[in-house]
Amino acid sequence: GSHVPTFAPARHTHATMPPRTRSVSASKAQSENVFLFVPNLIGYGRVISAIVSFYYMPTDPWIASVLYIVSVGLDAIDGHAARYFGQSTRFGAVLDMVTDRCSTACLMVMLAVLYPEHCIWYQLLIMLDIFSHWMHMYASLITGSSSHKLIDLSQNPVLHIYYSNKLVLFLLCALNESFFAGMYLWHFSAGPVLTVAGHTHGAWAWMAYVSFVPMAIKQFINVVQLAAASINIARLDIEARAKK
């Protein structure tokens, strides 16, 4: 998503306040309505576009696809808006992450319906996505710098490359979505026929084939993220028990 909480360097961040936000006077800050900040309004637009897309998914793949792309496109805008208007907020960061997770999960639910023979795999991917990101965010909230023994999630070599390299982050997220989108469209239509290196397939099949490996890499990163966050939380438990 375009807003990433403080546990890792990211393209856009709501949780780290930019200079323009920090300069807001206390009296003005108290009178502000965070729910009406521009980037959060954009976030609501993402949610609405996604919901309408889900409504059309079973029957009209083209309307569903356009609305889903609109939601993804707004995801690329809200972070820029947060920085431009000095309206970075923790609420916006959480709204962005939850919208990302729910959108992907709902798309995979649709795929589980369209491809019942692969239902268990989509169910497992949904579980991994939610477990990984929720544990990662929770770990970032409760750990902070309270212990020198904790794993720094941003310094984990795999997570560091993923979160600090904007190109890697963008490509893996985009291709991950492309795999599921390709599988979705493939169910309804083969798409324009393309021949590459002597192999002929529909465009949607090619989309799924080309993005399968990046999608698998993204799932591996989810596993690493889940493991690192779990270790951090468990170490805090051990330290807390030792102080009793």
Side-chain angles (χ1 to χ4, degrees), residues 20-21 24-37 85-87 89:
R20 189 172 173 184
T21 301
V24 174
S25 65
S27 59
K28 181 179 179 181
Q30 291 178 357
S31 65
E32 289 181 322
N33 188 338
V34 171
F35 297 115
L36 297 180
F37 279 7
F85 292 103
Q87 294 180 337
T89 61

Side-chain angles (χ1 to χ4, degrees), residues 9 151-160:
I151 295 174
D152 185 344
L153 300 185
S154 66
Q155 294 305 313
N156 179 286
V158 175
L159 297 181
H160 179 71

